[in-house]
Amino acid sequence: MRDRYIKENRLYDIICSDYRLLQVISRFSLPLGFGDKTIEEVCRENDVDCETFLAVINFRKDDVLNNTSSYRISIKTLCTYLRNAHSYYIDFLLPFIRRKLIEALGFSSNNDISFLIIKFYDEYVEELRRHMERENKDVFPYVDGLLIGKKTKQVLLEMSVLHHSPLELKLTELKNIIIKYSDSNNANNMMNSVLYDIFLFEEDLATHCELERKIFVPEIKKIEEKLSKSAVIHEENEEEFSTSLTDREKEIIVCVVKGLTNKEIADKLFISINTVTTHRRNIAKKLDIHSPSGLTIYAIVNNLVDIKEVKL
């Protein structure tokens, strides 16, 4: 592992060594214009806990910081960092990417596919927004209560933070759809720029999720243990199977794209609702597509349905 950043390092030097740390100083509300001051000096002047700042930047540097015992983490400072990251994603970055995506797709010769891609993007952003709002509404107030010794209804942290969320799969799905099925024609540079932004966002969000899992959650558990509480962990193992679609699965996709409910699909194909649910779960795993919008694009591109049969 490379040498870690220390409080005596100049903040200017570490930013020049890794430009991605600009995102970190912004989320800690550290302004630019700090000259040749050290990390410790800049943190002290801006009332930011230096140990927590060092823990975060070293985690982002190596992504192997499994033991934070060498740092005295300020949960209050870390919560501020995470809240600011949520605001950055939802209020700035994702709307910015959407504007670029619309501009790139504006040159497309297939307006129907463009519409569905934007719809899929909006559904992803809305789901991410709801998830982060749940963290803001439930997790952080719960932690605030723990910090003052307030015993409230325990929040299952692993079920709340973004790590292992289906949202990660949806972001990969969005990239795949744009790469495979978008028709940008004369807007190749713009579309490539959008994809580049999405890849950077995916990397940043993954690090954010890992930071929550490896630093935030363990630190909260330490506090819970002191208050004689324990967290509950639920994990599921994924099954591996063939990625090729069966004829029945293709029939299910067509029915979903046409707007049929699970019960209507079961009645139409003379199978049980449980069987329909199993088929839909297998389809999602095989195609790595988890939404009706994504299935619609897949079905149109692969000639399973005519676009005239789809309600846009």
Side-chain angles (χ1 to χ4, degrees), residues 29-82:
S29 299
L30 296 178
L32 297 175
F34 35 72
D36 292 323
K37 295 176 182 175
T38 64
I39 292 174
E40 182 179 34
E41 291 171 331
V42 175
C43 286
R44 183 172 60 248
E45 291 179 1
N46 292 276
D47 196 26
V48 170
D49 184 77
C50 186
E51 287 283 299
T52 306
F53 180 82
L54 287 170
V56 171
I57 63 174
N58 281 306
F59 176 84
R60 292 180 66 96
K61 178 181 181 182
D62 294 305
D63 196 19
V64 293
L65 186 58
N66 295 309
N67 182 3
T68 61
S69 60
S70 60
Y71 294 100
R72 177 190 51 78
I73 303 293
S74 165
I75 298 301
K76 182 178 179 181
T77 300
L78 187 58
C79 283
T80 297
Y81 171 87
L82 296 175

Side-chain angles (χ1 to χ4, degrees), residues 236-252:
E236 296 182 354
N237 295 320
E238 297 183 353
E239 300 179 1
E240 296 182 357
F241 52 87
S242 172
T243 58
S244 60
L245 290 177
T246 65
D247 290 340
R248 176 64 83 188
E249 287 168 344
K250 292 177 181 178
E251 289 180 307
I252 297 288

